[in-house]
Amino acid sequence: MHVELQNIRKHFGSVKANDGISLTFEPGRIYGLLGENGAGKSTLMKILAGFQPADSGHILLDGQPAHFANPAAALRAGIGMVYQDPLDFPPFTVLENFLLGKDRRLALDFRAASAELKHLMGRYGFEIDPQANIQSLSLGERQQLELVRLLAGGGRLLILDEPTTGISAEQKDALFASMRHMARQEDRTLILVSHKLDEVQELCDHAYVLRAGGFAGEHPLPCDNNLLVEKMFGQVPRRSPRPALPLETNLLELQQVTVRTPRLTLQNINLTIRAGEVFGLAGLEGNGQELLMQAIAGLAPIASGRLLLAGRDITRHAYHQTLADGVAYIAAGRLEEGLVAGLSLTEHIILSAPRVKQTFFIRWEGARRVTAERIQAYEVVGTPQSNADQLSGGNQQRLLFAMLNPDLKLALLNQPTRGLDVRSADYIWETLYRRRAEGAAILFISPDLDEVIERSDRIAVFSGGQMSRIVKASQTSAEELGHLIGGRQ
Amino acid sequence: MTLKSFLQRLWPIMPTIASLAFIAALLLAFGADPRTALEAVWQGAFGSQDRILSTVAFWVPLTFCAIGLMLTFTAGLWNIGIEGQMILGALGASWAALTFKDQPAWVLIPLEILAAMMAGALWAAISAILKTHGKVHEIFSGLALTNLAIILTNYLISGPWQPPEGGSFRGTAPFATAALLPRYAESRFSPLSLVLLTLAFIAAAILLGNTTWGLKLKALGRNPRSAFLLGVSSNRETLTAMLLCGAMAGLGGAVRVLSWFDSLRQSISGGIGFLALLVVMLAAYRILWVPFVAFFFSAVLQGSITLQLRTQLHSSLGGILTGVLVLFTLLFGDLNNLKRLRKSARNE
């Protein structure tokens, strides 16, 4: 199927998300759609997949104009999209989810569906138990299920939005192999939406680059990364230098800390973090690094051992007490954990102020001024009156950092740059370096080993609740960390 | 402003029209004339000074409860127990009226009001503490406590507080004149209650719009997890919101015994607590709309009392109308919500 987008425009208020974009997609090829956060990639692909209508412009399928009222209509026409967060129904089984999208009759034919599911899984090298509950699947497996569901629904052009975020290396390899199979053997069109250049280079035949809602260029792949980077950012972005700091005073001390949950136990953790230090925690999700962070924040109870912050025992402090102690915790989810949809930026800044500074009556004018200053300092695209949910993902992230109070001692950050492009991520780190120069320590989790190595002073790796030996970032490699993640010391 | 956004602002008009049309169709189906019925309701609500005062007198406690509910709804709490909190307020006021019956009005009335607020707050506090410390949902504790309040009323009427000439299970003996709120022109309406209501309304509007406490309630209602991580103590805010709501409902209960009636009666609340839930939903959780919606409800319900006399239609028509109205509102509201959700999902 030959798919053409002509002059697609989409505005959200005054923001031009897509400003007249025209692209062509041929069958049998894999396309990379590149661009920094907010470049308009997701908007354009959601228009193509029938998730939202364009303000103007045309979609041509084999030369015929097409209008999609909803994603189901797009799929009937052969276009399907796998979203960053899979649109499945967690309480149900894999098979039930598979049936949901395709069988409209009253009597569901489980046996035939099961056979079809197994057949499709086998063809693409996926292995998922049809009877498993969605809850028990990893993100990568849920993506595979989505993909198979779209294929069964007759998808000729498949869009994958940031599919490699949060899945394991093996799953990524399996995913890429299946995508190649779909393009080469089955003559389907695939579009990989990503800002990870290496992946696009590895998998795709051709790259389209968007910048600030417009078309910024295209290139056959593979090619020199810098060519793509220039198109994405207009220039090659600089990496903010990491200033060297003397690390002398101990800020946070964990002495024989034990944390128990039904799923995981952290046993006798000893760790000292110094003022001004950036400490990275690596490991696959659910191996203990989040739990440790939550224990420090007072969100998970410490069963035994001691926790000292600047010499003070805060072992028994609950979360709200540790906040008052000068600890900040930023969770991985933005709108779920940290921001409140429907509340303005000013209201967020008011709520995030330390309790002693909160007054009974709100001084709106002062609060708006502070918010305007923070917005400027953190380059948030928004006004004090904007609601947090109106911001783009990257700006929501910046808002979270703008809400950190001035007298911060320790920042606990779970995936501080999740889903951000190089430039936004670099910006976040720049602001964190400033905090560090002011004497705050930073403890962060990232699934991106390169980021952990580049940004940290020291690193610890978690595997099955065990903390590895502590390695110096300057003397380690992604390979060594990979071994530690695998549980080898 | 585009036509669409204009309509969105006025959206409660849509369900109102839809439900009026529904009721009209219902009347026609039973061979009654909708115009006559409407006229009868209008006459019943506003036909004379007496009727108007009656409508206003019914409106005051309803608005007290609805204002209280604005606080708990903002915090994301389903305070169904407001009915029981209102009954407790009536009991509190009655207790003060009976206990301090020899005091002059200027001592007695403040005591009654204070007792009513405290009693209402107490009932709400039980729900709140069960929620924060026992993880009991406020809907269940609220329903249970409402039943308990009804049983308690019946016990008091037929036992300790029964009239000297013997209990009739219907109510206590009328309170002393000094115990009652001064009424206007022989009606059931007391101007003092309107003064209190105005103060309560202003206080609630300021609390919700201009205090850190109100902002915390808003955050809690919209996203408890984020609110917690932002440092909002959900237990404390839950408790304070419920206490204030209970106190408001208690005031409503006091107005019922001290101005609508002159004694504690068996069904003292008249279902006003539950009705207030509907008022707040129809007002789309906006406090500025609450008095108006409550007034509309009062007019319809008071107006339909005379309906039977004039048109042979049962007076429950008013109840049907308000019920249908709320159903349509929820329907339209959900459609709007759905559209908004889709829109915001697309904007991502």
Side-chain angles (χ1 to χ4, degrees):
Chain A
M1 188 169 61
H2 178 98
V3 179
E4 208 176 330
L5 295 173
Q6 284 183 343
N7 216 12
I8 300 287
R9 283 177 203 278
K10 180 82 182 171
H11 294 196
F12 296 114
S14 59
V15 182
K16 292 176 181 170
N18 285 170
D19 194 20
I21 299 177
S22 302
L23 300 176
T24 309
F25 300 100
E26 305 288 349
R29 307 200 70 192
I30 307 179
Y31 292 87
L33 188 61
L34 288 162
E36 61 180 323
N37 294 120
K41 311 181 296 272
S42 292
T43 304
L44 185 68
M45 288 301 107
K46 284 178 178 173
I47 290 171
L48 179 57
F51 193 80
Q52 60 191 3
D55 292 341
S56 67
H58 301 284
I59 300 172
L60 301 181
L61 304 183
D62 288 329
Q64 297 300 311
H67 297 279
F68 306 134
N70 51 48
L75 186 57
R76 280 196 295 277
I79 296 174
M81 178 159 174
V82 179
Y83 298 89
Q84 234 168 352
D85 302 305
L87 298 175
D88 48 18
F89 294 85
F92 297 117
T93 65
V94 169
L95 186 57
E96 284 163 341
N97 268 281
F98 181 66
L99 272 166
L100 261 174
K102 64 192 300 284
D103 201 329
R104 287 166 178 279
R105 282 168 305 166
L106 222 46
L108 299 176
D109 191 347
F110 279 92
R111 194 174 308 193
S114 179
E116 188 187 359
L117 180 61
K118 278 188 186 142
H119 172 72
L120 282 169
M121 291 273 184
R123 195 196 302 172
Y124 299 108
F126 299 153
E127 280 170 24
I128 311 175
D129 176 7
Q131 298 306 329
N133 266 317
I134 296 291
Q135 274 125 331
S136 67
L137 300 189
S138 69
L139 187 62
E141 288 171 322
R142 289 167 67 188
Q143 269 176 2
Q144 293 175 359
L145 171 63
E146 284 276 293
L147 208 49
V148 167
R149 204 174 57 73
L150 295 175
L151 289 166
R156 299 296 307 159
L157 179 147
L158 298 170
I159 305 158
L160 291 94
D161 190 5
E162 305 279 0
T164 60
T165 308
I167 68 173
S168 71
E170 290 81 19
Q171 283 172 337
K172 191 189 104 175
D173 291 339
L175 179 71
F176 281 10
S178 68
M179 288 172 73
R180 285 194 192 99
H181 181 90
M182 289 171 210
R184 309 280 180 261
Q185 260 80 47
E186 300 168 359
D187 212 28
R188 300 180 205 266
T189 315
L190 285 125
I191 304 175
L192 177 70
V193 181
S194 180
H195 55 248
K196 292 180 191 158
L197 292 176
D198 293 339
E199 286 173 13
V200 173
Q201 295 273 16
E202 178 190 339
L203 180 72
C204 303
D205 308 311
H206 197 87
Y208 288 124
V209 184
L210 302 186
R211 186 170 73 232
F215 178 70
E218 58 183 305
H219 215 282
L221 297 178
C223 70
D224 182 8
N225 259 347
N226 279 332
L227 280 172
L228 297 176
V229 169
E230 260 175 56
K231 290 193 172 82
M232 279 170 75
F233 298 101
Q235 73 211 20
V236 178
R238 69 197 169 85
R239 292 286 232 197
S240 55
R242 194 164 163 292
L245 271 181
L247 305 172
E248 283 147 2
T249 32
N250 288 350
L251 182 76
L252 180 76
E253 284 172 73
L254 284 81
Q255 299 172 350
Q256 300 286 329
V257 167
T258 297
V259 187
R260 288 197 187 89
T261 69
R263 287 179 57 195
L264 196 68
T265 302
L266 297 177
Q267 196 83 41
N268 299 335
I269 304 281
N270 288 297
L271 184 66
T272 302
I273 295 173
R274 290 157 298 184
E277 185 168 34
V278 181
F279 199 97
L281 299 178
L284 293 176
E285 215 169 303
N287 274 270
Q289 62 274 40
E290 296 96 346
L291 187 58
L292 181 71
M293 201 170 258
Q294 286 166 352
I296 297 171
L299 289 163
I302 295 172
S304 64
R306 281 189 355 133
L307 182 64
L308 303 176
L309 181 73
R312 243 175 96 223
D313 191 327
I314 60 160
T315 315
R316 298 272 163 261
H317 282 198
Y319 175 67
H320 286 160
Q321 280 169 291
T322 51
L323 274 189
D325 296 335
V327 177
Y329 170 73
I330 293 184
R334 294 173 197 128
L335 273 181
E336 308 84 49
E337 300 177 289
L339 302 181
V340 183
L343 253 54
S344 72
L345 304 198
T346 308
E347 290 175 318
H348 276 90
I349 297 291
I350 293 168
L351 283 174
S352 66
R355 188 164 291 165
V356 288
K357 290 207 178 148
Q358 289 177 353
T359 52
F360 182 73
F361 288 106
I362 294 171
R363 299 188 182 117
W364 286 108
E365 210 162 302
R368 274 192 209 106
R369 204 178 49 239
V370 173
T371 309
E373 283 165 18
R374 300 265 184 105
I375 285 176
Q376 207 176 11
Y378 286 83
E379 296 181 12
V380 180
V381 180
T383 66
Q385 284 83 16
S386 325
N387 280 348
D389 45 318
Q390 291 169 334
L391 302 182
S392 73
N395 281 308
Q396 286 176 0
Q397 198 85 336
R398 288 178 187 211
L399 172 61
L400 276 174
F401 286 93
M403 280 156 57
L404 295 178
N405 286 305
D407 48 356
L408 184 70
K409 286 200 188 81
L410 172 68
L412 306 167
L413 313 172
N414 192 354
Q415 306 185 28
T417 60
R418 191 178 79 146
L420 297 185
D421 63 69
V422 190
R423 193 156 66 174
S424 302
D426 192 66
Y427 186 81
I428 294 287
W429 277 108
E430 215 173 287
T431 66
L432 289 173
Y433 289 157
R434 265 182 265 149
R435 296 287 183 168
R436 178 175 164 259
E438 290 161 15
I442 290 155
L443 184 65
F444 81 104
I445 294 172
S446 174
D448 179 352
L449 294 182
D450 293 332
E451 181 181 35
V452 173
I453 293 169
E454 183 187 343
R455 305 299 181 176
S456 311
D457 291 298
R458 292 185 301 156
I459 301 163
V461 180
F462 279 80
S463 173
Q466 297 285 321
M467 191 177 86
S468 72
R469 63 192 152 82
I470 293 165
V471 296
K472 279 206 160 80
S474 54
Q475 293 163 14
T476 190
S477 62
E479 209 178 342
E480 188 188 8
L481 295 184
H483 282 297
L484 291 172
I485 287 171
R488 277 168 283 175
Q489 291 293 319
Chain B
M1 193 166 21
T2 62
L3 181 68
K4 201 173 152 196
S5 68
F6 181 70
L7 281 178
Q8 262 168 357
R9 262 161 213 252
L10 279 180
W11 70 268
I13 303 290
M14 296 300 291
T16 309
I17 292 171
S19 49
L20 283 175
F22 179 84
I23 292 287
L26 199 66
L27 287 173
L28 286 173
F30 284 95
D33 179 14
R35 248 188 71 187
T36 326
L38 189 68
E39 264 171 28
V41 171
W42 179 268
Q43 283 298 320
F46 306 114
S48 65
Q49 187 189 358
D50 218 35
R51 298 252 163 86
I52 295 172
L53 288 174
S54 224
T55 301
V56 175
F58 188 83
W59 169 73
V60 170
L62 179 61
T63 313
F64 268 123
C65 288
I67 292 171
L69 282 174
M70 275 302 302
L71 303 176
T72 45
F73 268 120
T74 304
L77 297 163
W78 281 87
N79 187 16
I80 301 283
I82 183 128
E83 178 85 1
Q85 291 150 23
M86 183 176 169
I87 294 172
L88 252 280
L91 295 183
S94 303
W95 172 80
L98 292 169
T99 309
F100 308 106
K101 57 173 176 270
D102 300 328
Q103 300 292 329
W106 63 271
V107 177
L108 191 46
I109 288 174
L111 278 174
E112 287 165 340
I113 287 171
L114 199 67
M117 290 174 75
M118 286 175 65
L122 167 77
W123 229 232
I126 298 174
S127 269
I129 290 169
L130 281 172
K131 181 179 176 91
T132 55
H133 290 77
K135 303 226 185 300
V136 179
H137 198 281
E138 65 274 11
I139 288 182
F140 303 117
S141 61
L143 283 174
L145 285 167
T146 299
N147 264 337
L148 264 180
I150 293 169
I151 293 166
L152 190 59
T153 312
N154 291 342
Y155 162 72
L156 288 171
I157 289 171
S158 59
W161 292 354
Q162 66 173 278
E165 66 271 22
S168 62
F169 289 99
R170 297 204 48 198
T172 63
F175 300 141
T177 319
L180 302 179
L181 299 180
R183 304 182 196 189
Y184 178 76
E186 306 284 309
S187 71
R188 294 170 145 185
F189 169 65
S190 160
L192 181 60
S193 68
L194 187 61
V195 173
L196 289 174
L197 181 66
T198 311
L199 290 176
F201 178 78
I202 294 171
I206 291 176
L207 275 176
L208 285 176
N210 283 303
T211 64
T212 311
W213 181 76
L215 182 56
K216 285 179 175 174
L217 289 195
K218 207 166 141 188
L220 199 57
R222 284 166 185 268
N223 187 338
R225 178 71 186 159
S226 286
F228 175 79
L229 288 176
L230 279 167
V232 177
S233 153
S234 59
N235 284 358
R236 197 174 52 193
E237 304 334 329
T238 299
L239 187 64
T240 45
M242 288 289 279
L243 280 176
L244 278 178
C245 179
M248 291 276 184
L251 267 171
V255 172
R256 288 288 285 182
V257 277
L258 303 177
S259 136
W260 182 263
F261 297 114
D262 54 2
S263 54
L264 180 64
R265 304 289 177 91
Q266 209 174 21
S267 50
I268 188 72
S269 74
I272 281 180
F274 291 132
L275 208 55
L277 289 161
L278 304 186
V279 168
V280 177
M281 286 180 213
L282 188 58
Y285 310 104
R286 275 174 284 191
I287 191 160
L288 288 177
W289 291 36
V290 160
F292 301 101
V293 174
F295 192 79
F296 177 72
F297 269 52
S298 306
V300 169
L301 290 172
Q302 286 303 300
S304 38
I305 291 172
T306 51
L307 198 61
Q308 201 162 6
L309 300 173
R310 286 168 173 260
T311 61
Q312 316 298 316
L313 288 166
H314 197 263
S315 63
S316 60
L317 190 68
I320 297 175
L321 176 60
T322 48
V324 168
L325 182 55
V326 170
L327 287 179
F328 271 109
T329 308
L330 293 179
L331 179 69
F332 278 76
D334 271 353
L335 286 179
N336 275 344
N337 269 341
L338 201 65
K339 274 186 211 146
R340 201 168 51 229
L341 276 178
R342 281 195 184 156
K343 212 173 142 192
S344 69
R346 284 169 185 187
N347 282 358
E348 267 172 22

